[in-house]
């Protein structure tokens, strides 16, 4: 299993907080989101790659024991292209983590166990419980199989999942045709099961107010 952190975007909704660095390198309690992700992943995967773009030159020299992919024309694409570039290089099962998401280590353990139980026959995408209409959403049928993604009623994507090596080429082909879309579209195009987690085990930072929430909640997710 190889992990990929997607961190190429500019995080425009964060304002001055991301003027000089990618959002994944914002600090909370003295540690960057990336450092927290790397720590959680260290003993759970065999390798780690981060996809960078915006302001990558300000942080790439500080990366150690991590492979970096630089998406030079990041502003022309969405994160579908970031994931495609990673899958092109990595011939393995891939644990995908958004650069602005931190999850409790128990979430990663549950995700890995769920994937192992499915024996690679399905991708696995992590979702937050409760049907919502405010964000892009993942729809599942009564068996937990993903059947839709987009601006539809459904479960909010938690920014983490696993793409099976079995579907690597199909995923790359689809992503190549949808470079300006968000990558979770692959989950309803390929066999995928949903995994639901508690919102208390998940933090996503999209706006400055999320930093304040994360500052209060991060100690409960420490690792």
């Amino acid at each position: 299993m190889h992990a990929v952190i997607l961190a190429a975007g500019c995080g425009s909704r964060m304002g001055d907080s991301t003027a000089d660095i990618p959002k994944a390198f914002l600090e909370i309690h003295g540690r960057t989101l990336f450092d927290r992700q790397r720590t959680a992943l260290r003993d759970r995967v065999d390798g780690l790659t981060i996809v960078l773009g915006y302001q990558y030159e300000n942080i790439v020299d500080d990366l150690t024991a991590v492979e970096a992919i630089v998406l030079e024309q990041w502003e022309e694409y969405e994160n579908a292209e970031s994931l495609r570039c990673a899958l092109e290089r990595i011939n393995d099962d891939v644990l995908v983590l958004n650069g602005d998401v931190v999850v409790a280590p128990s979430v990663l353990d549950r995700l890995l166990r769920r994937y192992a139980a499915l024996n690679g026959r399905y991708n696995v995408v992590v979702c937050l419980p409760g049907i919502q209409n405010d964000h892009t959403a993942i729809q599942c049928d009564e068996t937990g199989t993903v059947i839709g993604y987009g601006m539809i009623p459904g479960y909010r994507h938690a920014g983490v999942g696993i793409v099976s090596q079995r579907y690597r080429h199909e995923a790359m082909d689809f992503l190549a045709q949808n470079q300006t879309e968000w990558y979770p579209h692959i989950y309803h195009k390929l066999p995928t099961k949903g995994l639901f987690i508690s919102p208390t085990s998940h933090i996503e930072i999209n706006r400055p107010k999320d930093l304040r929430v994360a500052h209060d909640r991060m100690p409960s997710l420490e690792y």
Side-chain angles (χ1 to χ4, degrees):
M1 180 75 65
H2 194 104
V4 171
I5 295 173
L6 303 181
C10 66
S12 58
R13 289 176 289 183
M14 294 301 300
D16 292 342
S17 297
T18 53
D20 300 314
I21 54 172
K23 189 162 46 169
F25 291 83
L26 290 171
E27 289 191 7
I28 299 173
H29 293 300
R31 295 177 63 195
T32 65
L33 302 180
F34 168 71
D35 182 57
R36 294 172 185 278
Q37 294 168 328
R38 177 172 54 182
T39 299
L41 290 165
R42 182 177 296 139
D43 296 327
R44 293 175 170 88
V45 297
D46 300 315
L48 174 60
T49 295
I50 184 169
V51 183
L52 299 167
Y54 171 76
Q55 299 287 13
Y56 74 90
E57 62 276 7
N58 290 339
I59 53 87
V60 71
D61 291 339
D62 296 330
L63 301 178
T64 58
V66 175
E67 180 180 356
I69 297 173
V70 176
L71 190 61
E72 295 282 358
Q73 296 174 305
W74 61 269
E75 67 274 13
E76 297 182 14
Y77 304 110
E78 260 296 350
N79 56 23
E81 178 63 5
S82 293
L83 180 56
R84 187 200 66 78
C85 290
L87 292 176
E88 189 173 54
R89 295 196 189 187
I90 301 165
N91 186 16
D92 199 350
D93 299 319
V94 171
L95 191 159
V96 188
L97 183 60
N98 291 2
D100 58 1
V101 165
V102 176
V103 295
S106 59
V107 170
L108 298 177
D109 291 335
R110 285 187 60 205
L111 173 61
L112 291 167
R113 288 196 300 268
R114 176 65 168 151
Y115 181 73
L118 293 167
N119 199 29
R121 293 179 291 110
Y122 291 89
N123 306 315
V124 180
V125 58
V126 179
C127 305
L128 300 176
I131 301 296
Q132 55 89 41
N133 296 281
D134 298 330
H135 308 273
T136 53
I138 289 169
Q139 287 184 340
C140 298
D141 65 15
E142 64 277 2
T143 70
T145 300
V146 175
I147 58 173
Y149 172 78
M151 292 303 298
I152 53 178
Y155 305 105
R156 189 171 179 182
H157 178 220
V160 59
I162 293 175
V163 178
S164 172
Q165 184 180 16
R166 181 178 301 196
Y167 302 116
R168 173 173 170 257
H169 289 290
E170 291 95 325
M172 285 192 295
D173 289 344
F174 178 79
L175 294 168
Q177 296 171 41
N178 296 273
Q179 293 171 305
T180 58
E181 300 291 340
W182 291 1
Y183 77 87
H185 281 285
I186 64 170
Y187 291 127
H188 80 279
K189 297 295 184 180
L190 301 171
T192 302
K193 294 288 187 179
L195 174 69
F196 297 92
I197 63 169
S198 168
T200 61
S201 61
H202 169 273
I203 292 174
E204 182 174 0
I205 296 175
N206 288 315
R207 296 175 175 83
K209 67 178 183 180
D210 297 328
L211 280 175
R212 296 189 291 272
V213 173
H215 187 276
D216 293 337
R217 290 188 50 214
M218 193 63 76
S220 66
L221 273 68
E222 287 289 353
Y223 34 79

